[in-house]
Amino acid sequence: QKEVEQNSGPLSVPEGAIASLNCTYSDRGSQSFFWYRQYSGKSPELIMFIYSNGDKEDGRFTAQLNKASQYVSLLIRDSQPSDSATYLCAVNMFRDDKIIFGKGTRLHILP
Amino acid sequence: NAGVTQTPKFRILKIGQSMTLQCTQDMNHNYMYWYRQDPGMGLKLIYYSVGAGITDKGEVPNGYNVSRSTTEDFPLRLELAAPSQTSVYFCASSSRTGGEQYFGPGTRLTVT
């Protein structure tokens, strides 16, 4: 099993709908989880982090964490064309305290 | 605060040439990182540093060297450029180990 797995996409979502991005990880002891947004030709930009089981909301973004299932997700409500980007999931590995990035999911919001 | 800055933005090297990619951060972060990103391959850690004078290898260190003489600066050196080093290079910094990282704008390097 890869350390951090994401579906590469592209995930196409109509404007105004909810986009749901998923990430699974292999290290059961991991404690810190991050979502980055990367526009084409740009650097990754931190948009959310979550440490506790449950939901964390920030504006139109909600991060969801389920440590028992080793699963973290990002929901984007009222999707806008400007949300079209690649979303990277990053996990702090308990075994060596290093951050491992997933390969990212390409999100395309359809106008 | 400028955050994390990188120079140059773009560079074309011939095989066998050398160059240094510069990275500077003004957030007083102890932790700094160098990644490369190839299309469809995600971010791969090249080297990292936990403070001035301390560096360590990441996942893909071969062909690269680093130094960290100050908290602010973390240059990446390519000694003998090879086509396999064609990539986009990102520098990042963090205030704590395993914490959120902040990225510079990147350097797009082509080796021909």
Side-chain angles (χ1 to χ4, degrees):
Chain A
Q1 181 189 3
K2 292 187 181 135
E3 293 178 299
V4 179
E5 284 201 78
Q6 296 180 257
N7 188 317
S8 62
L11 175 65
S12 295
V13 174
E15 183 175 357
I18 296 175
S20 178
L21 303 159
N22 304 316
C23 174
T24 59
Y25 59 95
S26 62
D27 188 337
R28 184 170 289 277
S30 294
Q31 299 291 325
S32 305
F33 307 86
F34 309 91
W35 283 101
Y36 288 82
R37 178 177 61 201
Q38 187 174 24
Y39 292 114
S40 181
K42 301 295 186 183
S43 59
E45 173 192 9
L46 179 70
I47 53 173
M48 291 281 291
F49 57 85
I50 186 167
Y51 303 137
S52 305
N53 268 335
D55 295 1
K56 179 182 178 183
E57 188 173 315
D58 183 2
R60 294 186 297 113
F61 298 97
T62 299
Q64 298 177 317
L65 175 61
N66 184 327
K67 290 185 180 178
S69 301
Q70 295 173 240
Y71 179 95
V72 58
S73 63
L74 179 70
L75 303 179
I76 307 174
R77 289 183 299 281
D78 187 24
S79 297
Q80 303 296 309
S82 59
D83 295 326
S84 296
T86 296
Y87 289 80
L88 306 175
C89 172
V91 179
N92 173 225
M93 292 291 151
F94 177 75
R95 64 166 195 278
D96 57 7
D97 211 16
K98 288 196 174 56
I99 302 282
I100 301 295
F101 287 82
K103 293 183 180 180
T105 298
R106 282 188 297 136
L107 176 64
H108 184 208
I109 305 301
L110 304 169
Chain B
N1 282 354
V4 181
T5 57
Q6 293 183 240
T7 56
K9 286 187 169 52
F10 304 95
R11 183 73 185 268
I12 299 175
L13 281 182
K14 294 190 185 305
I15 294 171
Q17 287 185 321
S18 302
M19 76 164 295
T20 299
L21 282 66
Q22 301 292 344
C23 175
T24 299
Q25 54 92 8
D26 64 359
M27 296 177 282
N28 202 33
H29 286 171
N30 282 327
Y31 299 86
M32 296 187 74
Y33 309 85
W34 273 106
Y35 294 92
R36 60 176 289 171
Q37 187 177 41
D38 301 311
M41 296 302 292
L43 289 160
K44 300 283 183 159
L45 182 64
I46 304 171
Y47 270 95
Y48 67 99
S49 170
V50 302
I54 307 170
T55 63
D56 207 348
K57 296 177 181 178
E59 186 182 355
V60 289
N62 291 344
Y64 307 95
N65 273 302
V66 293
S67 59
R68 182 99 182 266
S69 57
T70 67
T71 299
E72 295 78 20
D73 300 306
F74 189 39
L76 178 71
R77 177 87 178 156
L78 283 71
E79 290 294 350
L80 292 169
S84 60
Q85 293 176 305
T86 293
S87 188
V88 180
Y89 291 83
F90 291 108
C91 179
S93 73
S94 177
S95 61
R96 58 187 180 89
T97 183
E100 59 272 21
Q101 296 180 14
Y102 298 91
F103 285 79
T107 294
R108 187 174 297 272
L109 176 67
T110 302
V111 182
T112 61

